[in-house]
Amino acid sequence: MKKILLTATAFLMLFSCQNDQTESTTLPANAIARRSCASQDVLAAQMKADPTLALRMNEIEAFTQKAMLTNRLVNGKVQIPVVVNVLYRTTSENISLTQIQSQIDVLNKDYNAGNSDFNSVPSLFSGVKANVGISFVLDQVIRKSTTYTSWGTSDAMKKTTYGGIAPTSPTTKLNLWVCTIGGGILGYAQFPGGSSSTDGVAIDSKYIGTTGTATYPYNLGRTATHEIGHWMNLRHIWGDANCGSDLVSDTPTHNDANYGVPAYPHYSTCSGTPVEMTMNYMDYTDDRGMYMFSNGQKSRMAALFVSGGSRASFGI
Ligand code: ARG
Ligand code: ZN
Ligand code: CA
């Protein structure tokens, strides 16, 4: 069925181009329009001369479609399978599948310009606000009970020797660990380039998803959006220094992290005194205060997934 459709598509393309060719030879068509279909004109002539060309082109097309599926490209975009590792002592730490899925849903909105607050981005930044185009699909949930009251940030939750859960297929799946971290830490990520045995993101069970134990003002799933930004190589927007650099040119230089929900416009005192992009996911505001990535951040993330990129095993 697919082959028939592809063949039909090839013949439709051939037909439409032949049409153009006919027009261009009978009418004094404008040069730009003719040039735009020149390669199609040549192809049409070659197909007429060699009937096996269409067959070979169909094979190439079928291969391309298959490669897009097996490489997890959906409409030319990256799709990331997510394994959620839940470590619980109390029943409330053993969060529900509904809460887990609510987090996946937030990621799919935030990374695809589908969040309802995306249109709240000030017009000053409307030219750089991004549809990142990376999607997430829940692959599996692994649950394990523990006697630990908190896990800290030393990666113990990722190690069976400490009673944690080792990552599942970390070179092809994003592993999330959901547990009590403690110390006021909402979550933390491993940047690209680290060991695959600890690759992924840890999120405190009180700050994941939008339902169940999700706790205000971090109850909109933006901790995972922010941490997965790090996992995809994004730095904090203030560059982790006073007027530091996040290595992204279309984000303004910030003095420092912003908290709460800053009033707009909030001016930086750094060089040029730009209005800060406090609504960026890579700042530290409350969940309802963050609702955009920039195009420059999108480019950094996309670069990981192309051939030779450090997360190429995930995508394109
Ligand atoms: N790494 C930051 C922390 O643990 C996460 C900040 C996320 N911010 C948010 N609004 N969810 O503090
Ligand atoms: Zn961070
Ligand atoms: Ca910047």
Side-chain angles (χ1 to χ4, degrees):
M1 182 58 180
K2 197 163 218 170
K3 197 151 196 174
I4 293 167
L5 279 174
L6 290 170
T7 308
T9 307
F11 276 88
L12 272 174
M13 284 168 64
L14 177 61
F15 183 73
S16 66
C17 200
Q18 276 180 328
N19 241 9
D20 286 354
Q21 190 184 37
T22 307
E23 277 170 29
S24 65
T25 50
T26 53
L27 299 167
N30 96 31
I32 294 165
R34 284 196 62 184
R35 192 175 301 173
S36 71
C37 204
S39 54
Q40 285 292 337
D41 290 347
V42 172
L43 176 62
Q46 287 177 340
M47 279 184 166
K48 206 171 178 183
D50 179 8
T52 66
L53 176 58
L55 290 173
R56 286 200 300 280
M57 290 190 74
N58 272 353
E59 274 167 12
I60 290 168
E61 184 58 24
F63 178 87
T64 304
Q65 296 295 329
K66 193 172 148 224
M68 288 206 292
L69 285 178
T70 55
N71 291 336
R72 300 199 161 274
L73 270 172
V74 178
N75 297 326
K77 293 170 178 176
V78 177
Q79 187 182 62
I80 296 179
V82 182
V83 177
V84 178
N85 304 286
V86 180
L87 288 155
Y88 64 95
R89 185 180 65 88
T90 65
T91 51
S92 63
E93 286 171 327
N94 193 17
I95 63 166
S96 70
L97 184 59
T98 304
Q99 186 170 355
I100 291 168
Q101 188 58 51
S102 76
Q103 179 63 68
I104 302 293
D105 294 345
V106 167
L107 293 173
N108 283 320
K109 286 176 183 161
D110 289 355
Y111 278 85
N112 290 278
N115 47 305
S116 59
D117 40 8
F118 191 66
N119 55 27
S120 301
V121 172
S123 56
L124 177 64
F125 303 129
S126 58
V128 300
K129 68 179 187 179
N131 177 349
V132 174
I134 292 175
S135 61
F136 301 83
V137 60
L138 184 60
D139 183 77
Q140 58 176 306
V141 179
I142 299 170
R143 298 173 186 274
K144 191 172 184 177
S145 73
T146 168
T147 55
Y148 286 19
T149 53
S150 66
W151 286 84
T153 54
S154 60
D155 288 339
M157 73 286 279
K158 306 172 183 176
K159 296 168 182 169
T160 49
T161 49
Y162 290 98
I165 305 170
T168 299
S169 310
T171 60
T172 55
K173 295 172 185 190
L174 165 59
N175 278 256
L176 299 186
W177 284 268
V178 179
C179 58
T180 295
I181 297 174
I185 305 291
L186 307 177
Y188 73 97
Q190 179 169 296
F191 283 91
S195 166
S196 64
S197 66
T198 50
D199 197 37
V201 167
I203 308 281
D204 191 284
S205 25
K206 292 181 297 302
Y207 308 115
I208 188 144
T210 59
T211 181
T213 61
T215 307
Y216 180 90
Y218 306 111
N219 61 337
L220 299 179
R222 261 79 193 247
T223 298
T225 300
H226 172 106
E227 299 305 335
I228 292 169
H230 288 314
W231 183 79
M232 293 197 283
N233 217 19
L234 298 188
R235 309 293 176 89
H236 287 137
I237 197 163
W238 68 99
D240 296 291
N242 193 269
C243 301
S245 172
D246 62 354
L247 310 176
V248 173
S249 59
D250 65 4
T251 53
T253 307
H254 287 210
N255 282 93
D256 212 332
N258 291 294
Y259 296 91
V261 182
Y264 181 85
H266 173 70
Y267 284 90
S268 163
T269 63
C270 307
S271 175
T273 65
V275 174
E276 294 194 359
M277 192 185 280
T278 64
M279 63 296 300
N280 192 283
Y281 293 120
M282 300 317 290
D283 206 331
Y284 262 5
T285 65
D286 288 349
D287 277 14
R288 69 189 183 286
M290 47 173 67
Y291 34 87
M292 70 170 284
F293 287 114
S294 77
N295 284 321
Q297 289 174 324
K298 171 182 176 171
S299 298
R300 279 182 68 76
M301 292 190 265
L304 298 173
F305 299 100
V306 301
S307 177
S310 75
R311 297 202 186 284
S313 52
F314 281 83
I316 316 171

